[in-house]
Amino acid sequence: MRYYVLDRGDELSIQLAEQFHKLAQGRNLELDAKSPEIVISIGGDGTMLHAFHTFIDQIPNLAFVGVHTGHLGFYADWQAEELPSLIDYMCGEVGPHKPRIVQYPLLELEIHKKSGSSKHIALNEFTLKGVDGTVVIQVDINDVTFEMFRGDGLCVSTPSGSTAYNKSLGGAMVHPSIEALQIAEIASINNRVFRTMGSPLMLPKHHHCDIFSRKDQRLLLTIDHNNIPVDDLISVRAQVADKKISFARYRPFPFWNRVREAFLV
């Protein structure tokens, strides 16, 4: 099996990456930085986001495994001290011969600016915020105007990303088996003059939303951990992507167990 390890860069994560390579020597594991079958993320959820975007062009052909050394490892199945067990599972020496592959939905974005257009994929979320003050944007759903938004911004999240920034905005936590995106408002203005829905919205896979800039404004677009300053935005189209991210599960770790351990234990 071809593998690659991406670590967070702190002392512990670097040591664990070195330990992983040593444990892999002489086994049926081959280090391959160009076309791995399994990518091991050692760190926290931010490290997994970095790993995802590093190998985003190879998403259909590989799976990810997370090793937790950060403060919150929602994407991680394994603790630091469990590396030897993980190696044994990957080599087929214990447990099932092959891992169970679990797939999570992703978010597809089309960003249109006066200076050009681009496409992006997000694992967790996309956010749009104002740099200088109140954001004024029009939100269309399936090519029909839904609302004119005024406030700090919007967050559009995937089901797996629903436990991240979306949760802090009062959004619902969504099981990744549900192929949908969620739109949550960031400090909307609601009074007798300006109105928004004021609550999160869920759109299924076959729906899309368009976000139009409705004044000259400097904006900050964030795709997972990547920030994109924009001063000439025309629109952003968001929808559930056709691609999915794959995780290699060598042992059971149900989604709601992850939620409980991340937020309640």
Side-chain angles (χ1 to χ4, degrees):
M1 177 184 293
R2 301 185 308 276
Y3 79 92
Y4 183 74
V5 176
L6 193 149
D7 65 76
R8 188 171 57 178
D10 62 289
E11 185 176 354
L12 175 58
S13 298
I14 293 173
Q15 290 176 355
L16 290 173
E18 292 174 350
Q19 180 186 355
F20 189 97
H21 293 310
K22 290 179 181 178
L23 291 169
Q25 290 179 358
R27 316 286 278 273
N28 61 335
L29 297 175
E30 175 189 352
L31 179 62
D32 188 337
K34 293 184 177 180
S35 57
E37 297 171 87
I38 298 287
V39 174
I40 314 298
S41 167
I42 301 180
D45 286 344
T47 313
M48 180 61 76
L49 291 175
H50 180 50
F52 168 74
H53 284 277
T54 299
F55 290 94
I56 195 165
D57 293 334
Q58 302 181 46
I59 288 303
N61 304 315
L62 57 80
F64 294 86
V65 174
V67 178
H68 170 47
T69 64
H71 298 292
L72 181 61
F74 189 85
Y75 285 116
D77 292 5
W78 301 85
Q79 299 294 325
E81 65 275 10
E82 295 181 308
L83 275 190
S85 295
L86 173 57
I87 291 284
D88 290 342
Y89 273 95
M90 290 180 65
C91 293
E93 296 173 6
V94 297
H97 181 66
K98 291 185 178 181
R100 175 171 172 254
I101 301 299
V102 176
Q103 294 188 315
Y104 285 4
L106 299 170
L107 176 64
E108 179 181 300
L109 301 162
E110 295 181 20
I111 299 175
H112 301 284
K113 303 180 293 181
K114 295 177 183 177
S115 55
S117 301
S118 58
K119 291 186 177 182
H120 305 267
I121 298 289
L123 172 57
N124 266 9
E125 74 268 310
F126 159 77
T127 63
L128 181 153
K129 295 181 179 180
V131 174
D132 302 313
T134 300
V135 170
V136 180
I137 50 179
Q138 176 184 320
V139 178
D140 288 11
I141 296 178
N142 296 337
D143 304 316
V144 177
T145 299
F146 183 76
E147 67 177 13
M148 188 68 70
F149 175 90
R150 289 172 174 82
D152 285 356
L154 289 179
C155 172
V156 184
S157 66
T158 64
S160 53
S162 69
T163 61
Y165 189 26
N166 168 79
K167 180 179 180 295
S168 70
L169 298 172
M173 285 187 281
V174 181
H175 194 281
S177 64
I178 300 173
E179 298 186 60
L181 61 82
Q182 185 169 182
I183 305 170
E185 299 178 353
I186 306 172
S188 61
I189 297 174
N190 278 287
N191 53 37
R192 64 186 182 87
V193 178
F194 304 123
R195 299 294 298 165
T196 69
M197 180 57 63
S199 63
L201 301 173
M202 298 260 315
L203 300 185
K205 182 176 181 178
H206 59 286
H207 288 195
H208 64 268
C209 73
D210 292 295
I211 302 167
F212 298 92
S213 177
R214 284 302 181 235
K215 72 172 186 178
D216 291 332
Q217 51 192 338
R218 292 196 301 158
L219 301 168
L220 181 64
L221 311 184
T222 302
I223 301 169
D224 290 333
H225 61 307
N226 299 314
N227 296 320
I228 306 174
V230 176
D231 60 7
D232 63 343
L233 182 70
I234 299 173
S235 67
V236 178
R237 171 164 290 195
Q239 59 190 350
V240 178
D242 291 330
K243 295 181 180 178
K244 292 184 178 181
I245 184 174
S246 296
F247 293 97
R249 299 277 190 256
Y250 289 96
R251 57 187 183 184
F253 198 173
F255 177 78
W256 296 119
N257 286 23
R258 294 173 185 274
V259 171
R260 180 175 179 273
E261 290 193 10
F263 299 108
L264 298 174
V265 176

